[in-house]
Amino acid sequence: MTLAHESRVVPGANYEARARAVRQAAYRMRHHVLNMGEVQGQGYVGQALGVADMLAVTYVDQLRYRTDDPHWVERDRFLLSTGHYAIALYSAFAEAGIVPVEELKTYGSDDSRLPMSGMASYTPGMEISGGSLGHGLTVAVGMALGLRLQGSDSRVFNFLSDGELNEGSTWEAAMGAKHHGLGNLIAMVDMNALQADGKTEGIMSIEPAHEKWEAAGWFTQRVGGNDVDALLAAFDAVAARAEPTGTPAVILCDTRIGAGVPLLETREKAHFMRIEADEWELCRQQLTEGATK
């Protein structure tokens, strides 16, 4: 099953069917993440599980793309600023049919098209090489402006982390997007409250994040990032007011590290996670049990 679509969703239409498709995809994507993580025995599994709902909404419900033509000129662009979240995006690519599911077992291996950090030169569907945080939104601003100048109605989605809100370049880009009236730009922020060196609040507080984005001139919403209904409603609100020349939009998504797998949701060292060999099957069992409740 592939989830590619070439036309935009009508906000509010077929809502129950849309939500069901997103939940089913997010469930499969979490299994993909666990399968990939087991290849290396460690990685950014917690983040990937946490943002599965966000990426499922994006690829199942929002993006305009073709599975067999990642460079289709009329596609919407999805920029993964947080390159270490690549494992999460690969799971979405597998669901979308951009990458074969069987290829996921090569994750992080030598000569694989699926390196542990996102590389545009290696992986079909990967628009930029993310990594050094704070660059994604700057690229997105330039891309959105370029598309508008070309007369394109394609949108640019930029996925970034709450840790990137510590970066000055992010806020320069945010001001630039407002200045240029980039109504074709949508930012998605994973507000999981955790960075490599500890909790975001302890590294450098970013709150009140909602008010800061509003002050920068963006249409701002904050929702539960693991609440599919809330995510769909937020994207519908963006679509209802979107214009090529207008106000850029940001959706701040409060997510849970390890969402869907209780064993990992409560793990203290969760940024780069080591999972023991005998725990992977337990993780899958918990994920399956949770989906059937």
Side-chain angles (χ1 to χ4, degrees), residues 228-246:
V228 170
D229 292 328
L231 288 166
L232 285 172
F235 276 108
D236 280 359
V238 171
R241 66 194 310 280
E243 297 178 357
T245 301

Side-chain angles (χ1 to χ4, degrees), residues 19-39:
R20 182 170 57 253
V22 169
R23 290 191 178 94
Q24 291 172 348
Y27 169 71
R28 292 190 296 268
M29 285 164 58
R30 287 186 167 98
H31 273 290
H32 294 329
V33 167
L34 292 174
N35 291 340
M36 280 186 282
E38 189 174 14
V39 172

Side-chain angles (χ1 to χ4, degrees), residues 79 105 134 140 144 168 204 220 238 272:
L79 309 186
K105 64 185 179 183
M204 183 181 291
T220 307
V238 171
F272 187 85

Side-chain angles (χ1 to χ4, degrees), residues 216-284:
W218 288 55
F219 172 52
T220 307
Q221 301 176 84
R222 188 163 187 168
V223 301
N226 300 119
D227 183 337
V228 170
D229 292 328
L231 288 166
L232 285 172
F235 276 108
D236 280 359
V238 171
R241 66 194 310 280
E243 297 178 357
T245 301
T247 304
V250 60
I251 305 174
L252 306 173
C253 302
D254 292 299
T255 64
R256 300 188 314 277
I257 290 280
V261 180
L263 174 66
L264 304 183
E265 289 182 24
T266 57
R267 186 147 294 184
E268 184 176 351
K269 294 184 178 181
H271 184 77
F272 187 85
M273 189 180 292
R274 174 72 187 178
I275 300 174
E276 299 303 325
D278 61 346
E279 292 180 322
W280 291 101
E281 189 56 36
L282 175 59
C283 289
R284 293 189 188 90

Side-chain angles (χ1 to χ4, degrees), residues 36-292:
M36 280 186 282
E38 189 174 14
V39 172
Q40 298 294 333
Q42 59 188 355
Y44 298 100
V45 174
Q47 291 93 328
L49 294 171
V51 302
D53 302 296
M54 294 172 64
L55 292 181
V57 168
T58 306
Y59 275 84
V60 175
D61 195 73
Q62 291 294 312
L63 281 186
R64 184 172 68 186
Y65 61 94
R66 289 178 175 172
T67 58
D68 59 349
D69 185 6
H71 300 291
W72 179 44
V73 69
E74 295 181 31
R75 72 191 184 281
D76 291 330
R77 275 68 168 174
F78 182 90
L79 309 186
L80 183 70
S81 184
T82 50
H84 59 291
Y85 279 51
I87 185 174
L89 191 53
Y90 299 152
S91 72
F93 286 169
E95 275 300 299
I98 297 171
V99 170
V101 172
E102 56 269 22
E103 189 173 350
L104 298 181
K105 64 185 179 183
T106 71
Y107 168 70
S109 302
D110 291 344
D111 300 321
S112 172
R113 297 196 301 173
L114 310 178
M116 292 187 75
S117 188
M119 298 283 287
S121 58
Y122 288 179
T123 313
M126 189 73 69
E127 297 280 358
I128 62 171
S129 298
S132 184
L133 299 183
H135 292 173
L137 192 59
T138 62
V139 177
V141 167
M143 192 175 288
L145 181 58
L147 287 167
R148 193 180 70 192
L149 291 173
Q150 293 171 11
S152 172
D153 70 344
S154 296
R155 298 176 296 173
V156 178
F157 292 72
N158 180 218
F159 186 100
L160 58 157
S161 66
D162 55 0
E164 288 187 276
L165 304 190
N166 292 161
E167 300 285 350
S169 54
T170 297
W171 296 108
E172 288 184 71
M175 290 187 292
K178 167 59 178 175
H179 175 78
H180 292 290
L182 299 180
N184 57 345
L185 175 58
I186 303 167
M188 308 162 59
V189 186
D190 176 21
M191 304 287 287
N192 66 23
L194 185 69
Q195 299 184 30
D197 294 328
K199 294 182 178 180
T200 300
E201 182 68 20
I203 302 300
M204 183 181 291
S205 176
I206 58 174
E207 301 296 351
H210 190 287
E211 286 84 346
K212 289 175 180 176
W213 282 97
E214 282 190 330
W218 288 55
F219 172 52
T220 307
Q221 301 176 84
R222 188 163 187 168
V223 301
N226 300 119
D227 183 337
V228 170
D229 292 328
L231 288 166
L232 285 172
F235 276 108
D236 280 359
V238 171
R241 66 194 310 280
E243 297 178 357
T245 301
T247 304
V250 60
I251 305 174
L252 306 173
C253 302
D254 292 299
T255 64
R256 300 188 314 277
I257 290 280
V261 180
L263 174 66
L264 304 183
E265 289 182 24
T266 57
R267 186 147 294 184
E268 184 176 351
K269 294 184 178 181
H271 184 77
F272 187 85
M273 189 180 292
R274 174 72 187 178
I275 300 174
E276 299 303 325
D278 61 346
E279 292 180 322
W280 291 101
E281 189 56 36
L282 175 59
C283 289
R284 293 189 188 90
Q285 291 173 6
Q286 289 186 344
L287 177 58
T288 301
E289 290 168 0
T292 57

